[in-house]
Amino acid sequence: MITAAAPPALPMRGAARGPVRWAEAFGDGPQAPLLPAEAAHVAGRPERRTRQFTVARTLARRALGQLGFAPSPLLPGAGGAPVWPDGVVGSITHCDGYTACAVAPAGRLASLGIDAEPARPLPVGILGLTASAAERAGLAQLPPGLVPWDRLLFSTKEAVYKAWYPLTRQWAPLVEMPVTVCPDGTFTTHRDGQTLTGHWHHAGGILITTIALP
Ligand SMILES: CC(C)(COP(=O)(O)OP(=O)(O)OC[C@H]1O[C@@H](n2cnc3c(N)ncnc32)[C@H](O)[C@@H]1OP(=O)(O)O)[C@@H](O)C(=O)NCCC(=O)NCCS
């Protein structure tokens, strides 16, 4: 079943919102037929992966259509990052219960990163692997009970990673993606002397995080 979020949950705000186009779905999500190259890519993969890949491509075509792009295969490239049509930057996320794709003209943004996670605490041990001591101390200062902050921090780091990877082409552990989460729906990260602000949202049992690099 598809449960549309209204208004859209993807927290693209401020400067990022203007050039960004997106499509998102709660629940199982729509599954339009894959293009032949995409179908070949997922042939023989587990059903869950095929479904996630298909919903993501369905939503990606909707988002790209808003930028005027006709359907074309959207395949994973180096490091798993999607190979967008020339002139486009974008990001995809899927977790149980939510899928989204955000895109923008490359002339307007350098990169985009989005991530979604179930709004449940992280499994034991993951925070220690992915967050620095300073970040873990910062989580302890946040108001208890609002959201599972450890999972939110993890999601912000994945969004930052997805935004940086297409620019650097270098794998890096999440612990090296410094993030400060704020309870007002924003987070900040630092890179090359710049402070960048992302946004987070809690909707329908899902934590959704986005960052746009200008
Ligand atoms: C790549 C990564 C960010 C994906 O995040 P995830 O929560 O597992 O999965 P999501 O559904 O949110 O995102 C998957 C999408 O991310 C995109 N993606 C994958 N690798 C990417 C990369 N290197 N750069 C940008 N986007 C990428 C793809 O579009 C993928 O969907 P698709 O395969 O259908 O095209 C994650 O697996 C990862 O490698 N993180 C960094 C490494 C790390 O330290 N991990 C620690 C885990 S304890």
Side-chain angles (χ1 to χ4, degrees):
M1 186 177 98
I2 303 168
T3 311
L10 199 65
M12 283 292 174
R13 292 191 197 145
R17 188 163 188 155
V20 178
R21 296 292 177 269
W22 68 83
E24 64 183 348
F26 284 87
D28 289 344
Q31 295 190 61
L34 290 173
L35 297 174
E38 295 167 337
H41 176 77
V42 286
R45 300 288 181 93
E47 187 275 338
R48 181 171 181 269
R49 169 60 179 154
T50 301
R51 178 167 32 83
Q52 286 189 331
F53 185 91
T54 304
V55 176
R57 268 66 204 165
T58 304
L59 296 176
R61 282 193 249 295
R62 290 183 185 175
L64 287 165
Q66 295 175 54
L67 293 182
F69 284 86
S72 63
L74 183 59
L75 298 169
V83 181
W84 299 100
D86 284 348
V88 173
V89 296
S91 187
I92 286 172
T93 186
H94 25 58
C95 70
D96 288 341
Y98 183 78
T99 307
C101 172
V103 293
R108 303 284 303 279
L109 290 176
S111 191
L112 276 171
I114 68 174
D115 191 69
E117 293 284 328
R120 293 192 296 272
L122 281 175
V124 172
I126 300 298
L127 187 66
L129 290 174
T130 54
S132 67
E135 288 171 328
R136 296 197 298 275
L139 293 185
Q141 305 303 315
L142 293 167
L146 192 57
V147 297
W149 297 115
D150 60 346
R151 181 77 76 155
L152 181 63
L153 177 68
F154 180 84
S155 180
T156 62
K157 286 167 164 272
E158 296 237 287
V160 170
Y161 176 83
K162 290 183 196 177
W164 279 112
Y165 184 85
L167 301 177
T168 63
R169 298 285 167 195
Q170 284 184 346
W171 184 88
L174 292 184
V175 72
E176 291 181 12
M177 304 285 141
V179 169
T180 303
V181 171
C182 306
D184 65 355
T186 65
F187 65 92
T188 55
T189 187
H190 308 279
R191 186 92 181 198
D192 300 335
Q194 277 186 295
T195 299
L196 299 159
T197 300
H199 293 90
W200 63 266
H201 190 60
H202 183 192
I206 309 288
L207 298 171
I208 305 158
T209 55
T210 64
I211 189 160
L213 307 189

